[in-house]
C-alpha cells in the first residue's frame, strides 16, 4: 500500500477537482475518520482501493455517497437570525414599494443542507407580507445542495419540535407553518404543505455551471464558501451574481465576505450585499 497520507491527499484533490471543496491539511484527520466509515460499509481494505473506485466511477452514486459523508450539514431554523429579520422587515417593504403588482418573488438557498434555511427564508417572506397586510403575491424558492442525503431530509420537512420551537421568530409560527406529530411521531413537527409547495429542492454542485440567469431577488449562500479556496470563492460568487436581478440581495455567512472581490455588489451590512 502506498503512503496513507499520499492516498488521502489524492482523494482530497479528487474532491477538490469535482466539487471545489478544499480540504485543508489540518482537516485531513477528520476526513480520515469519515472515510473509515465508508471503508467499513463498503468492505474495502484501504484508502487506495476507495480512491480507485472513485477515480474510475466519476460522478456515480458511490462518489456522492462520499460527498454525503464528508459534507458538513450543520444548520438550524433562522440561523444567523438577523438575516431573516432583514428579509422580513427590510426586503419585503422595500420590494413592495419599488415593484408594482403582481408581486412575484424568487429566492435561492444555494447550500440548503437539510432544509431549515430554505423554510426559514420562505417563512420570513410570508411573515413580511402578513405584516404589510398583503394577501396577493407569489413566492418561488429554489433550494440546492450537493448532498443527496441532506436533500432527502429537506424534502420530508420533518424536524424535532423543541428544536423548531426555540428558534422561531414569531410565536404564532409554530401553528402557522407546522403540524405536530402524534403517537409514534410525538415530539416531531412537519412543515405544512403550503410551505413545501413553493420550494424546489435540487442537487447542485456549485463548482459546475449554474443553470439560472438574472432571476433571483434573494440569494442565500452561507457558511459554505469557507470550504473553497479564495480563488474558487471568487469564481462561485461571480457566477451567483449572474443569477441575481439588479437590486437583489446576497446573504453570506458571518465569517465570509465579498468586500475584497471585484463583483457588482455593494455592502449593506455585515454579510449582506446588494447587486448593482
Amino acid at each position: 500500500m502506498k503512503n496513507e497520507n499520499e492516498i488521502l491527499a489524492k482523494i482530497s484533490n479528487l474532491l477538490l477537482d469535482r466539487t471545489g471543496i478544499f480540504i485543508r491539511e489540518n482537516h485531513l484527520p477528520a476526513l480520515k475518520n469519515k472515510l473509515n466509515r465508508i471503508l467499513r460499509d463498503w468492505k474495502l481494505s484501504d484508502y487506495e482501493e476507495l480512491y480507485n473506485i472513485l477515480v474510475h466511477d466519476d460522478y456515480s452514486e458511490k462518489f456522492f455517497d462520499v460527498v454525503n459523508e464528508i459534507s458538513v450539514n450543520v444548520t438550524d431554523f433562522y440561523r444567523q437570525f438577523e438575516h431573516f429579520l432583514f428579509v422580513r422587515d427590510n426586503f419585503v417593504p422595500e420590494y413592495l414599494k419599488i415593484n408594482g403588482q403582481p408581486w412575484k418573488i424568487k429566492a435561492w438557498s444555494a447550500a440548503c443542507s437539510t432544509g431549515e434555511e430554505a423554510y426559514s427564508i420562505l417563512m420570513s417572506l410570508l411573515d413580511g407580507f402578513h405584516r404589510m397586510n398583503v394577501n396577493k403575491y407569489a413566492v418561488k424558492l429554489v433550494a440546492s445542495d450537493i448532498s443527496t442525503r441532506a436533500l432527502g431530509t429537506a424534502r420530508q420537512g420533518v424536524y424535532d419540535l423543541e428544536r423548531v420551537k426555540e428558534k422561531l421568530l414569531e410565536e404564532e409560527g409554530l401553528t402557522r407553518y407546522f403540524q405536530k406529530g402524534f403517537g409514534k411521531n410525538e415530539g416531531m413537527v412537519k412543515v405544512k404543505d403550503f410551505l413545501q409547495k413553493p420550494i424546489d429542492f435540487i442537487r447542485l454542485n456549485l463548482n459546475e455551471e449554474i443553470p439560472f440567469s438574472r432571476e433571483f431577488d434573494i440569494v442565500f449562500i452561507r457558511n459554505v464558501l469557507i470550504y473553497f479556496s479564495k480563488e474558487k470563492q471568487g469564481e462561485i460568487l461571480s457566477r451567483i451574481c449572474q443569477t441575481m436581478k439588479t437590486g437583489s440581495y446576497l446573504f453570506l455567512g458571518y465569517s465570509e465576505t465579498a468586500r475584497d472581490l471585484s463583483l457588482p455588489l455593494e455592502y449593506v451590512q455585515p454579510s449582506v450585499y446588494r447587486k448593482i
Side-chain angles (χ1 to χ4, degrees):
M1 185 181 73
K2 294 180 181 178
N3 180 278
E4 190 175 84
N5 288 334
E6 288 181 12
I7 300 299
L8 284 172
K10 290 174 73 173
I11 293 174
S12 176
N13 289 333
L14 183 66
L15 291 166
L16 175 64
D17 289 341
R18 294 186 185 174
T19 69
I21 296 173
F22 177 60
I23 300 173
R24 292 171 174 81
E25 188 172 349
N26 62 322
H27 290 165
L28 285 178
L31 173 65
K32 181 178 177 180
N33 289 336
K34 292 177 178 181
L35 294 182
N36 282 340
R37 288 195 287 269
I38 292 175
L39 293 184
R40 290 193 297 270
D41 291 345
W42 294 3
K43 296 180 172 54
L44 302 179
S45 58
D46 53 42
Y47 300 123
E48 186 169 12
E49 189 176 358
L50 173 62
Y51 173 77
N52 288 332
I53 290 173
L54 298 180
V55 77
H56 291 114
D57 279 8
D58 201 23
Y59 291 95
S60 68
E61 278 304 309
K62 283 190 177 295
F63 176 77
F64 283 109
D65 281 346
V66 174
V67 173
N68 286 335
E69 189 64 45
I70 69 166
S71 295
V72 181
N73 304 128
V74 178
T75 187
D76 221 330
F77 284 96
Y78 298 105
R79 186 183 183 195
Q80 300 175 192
F81 72 95
E82 291 89 353
H83 289 166
F84 301 98
L85 291 176
F86 186 93
V87 170
R88 185 189 70 185
D89 299 336
N90 296 81
F91 169 78
V92 170
E94 177 185 289
Y95 181 89
L96 295 177
K97 182 179 180 180
I98 293 174
N99 296 275
Q101 296 191 45
W103 290 307
K104 296 181 178 180
I105 292 175
K106 192 167 185 181
W108 179 22
S109 171
C112 72
S113 187
T114 47
E116 290 92 334
E117 179 180 90
Y119 293 121
S120 298
I121 296 169
L122 188 50
M123 289 187 288
S124 300
L125 288 168
L126 299 185
D127 287 344
F129 282 125
H130 181 74
R131 285 175 168 230
M132 298 293 290
N133 295 313
V134 172
N135 298 314
K136 293 184 178 180
Y137 53 82
V139 178
K140 292 292 292 181
L141 197 149
V142 175
S144 63
D145 202 272
I146 195 171
S147 171
T148 53
R149 183 184 301 165
L151 288 169
T153 300
R155 291 189 182 102
Q156 289 177 352
V158 176
Y159 302 97
D160 180 82
L161 169 62
E162 292 303 318
R163 191 164 148 249
V164 172
K165 190 162 60 174
E166 68 183 20
K167 298 294 183 179
L168 291 174
L169 291 185
E170 301 186 9
E171 289 184 15
E172 317 88 74
L174 189 61
T175 54
R176 187 183 300 164
Y177 299 121
F178 297 89
Q179 294 174 308
K180 287 187 179 181
F182 297 95
K184 65 178 182 179
N185 295 316
E186 190 171 354
M188 306 296 289
V189 291
K190 187 179 188 307
V191 174
K192 288 186 176 180
D193 288 346
F194 78 88
L195 197 66
Q196 285 186 304
K197 286 180 180 178
I199 304 180
D200 184 18
F201 289 104
I202 64 170
R203 195 194 70 75
L204 182 65
N205 183 349
L206 293 172
N207 196 42
E208 299 173 353
E209 183 179 349
I210 296 175
F212 311 115
S213 178
R214 302 187 186 281
E215 55 192 276
F216 293 113
D217 302 288
I218 295 173
V219 174
F220 275 58
I221 177 168
R222 308 184 309 159
N223 307 306
V224 65
L225 292 175
I226 55 175
Y227 297 105
F228 295 91
S229 67
K230 196 69 177 176
E231 179 183 5
K232 188 62 67 176
Q233 289 178 24
E235 292 176 10
I236 290 172
L237 284 176
S238 178
R239 292 199 296 271
I240 284 177
C241 283
Q242 295 174 30
T243 74
M244 300 169 62
K245 298 177 183 176
T246 300
S248 59
Y249 287 93
L250 174 70
F251 297 83
L252 303 179
Y254 285 164
S255 62
E256 298 164 332
T257 181
R259 297 185 76 174
D260 54 350
L261 300 171
S262 298
L263 296 169
L265 297 169
E266 64 178 4
Y267 176 82
V268 176
Q269 65 184 48
S271 64
V272 181
Y273 298 84
R274 187 172 182 270
K275 170 81 178 287
I276 56 177

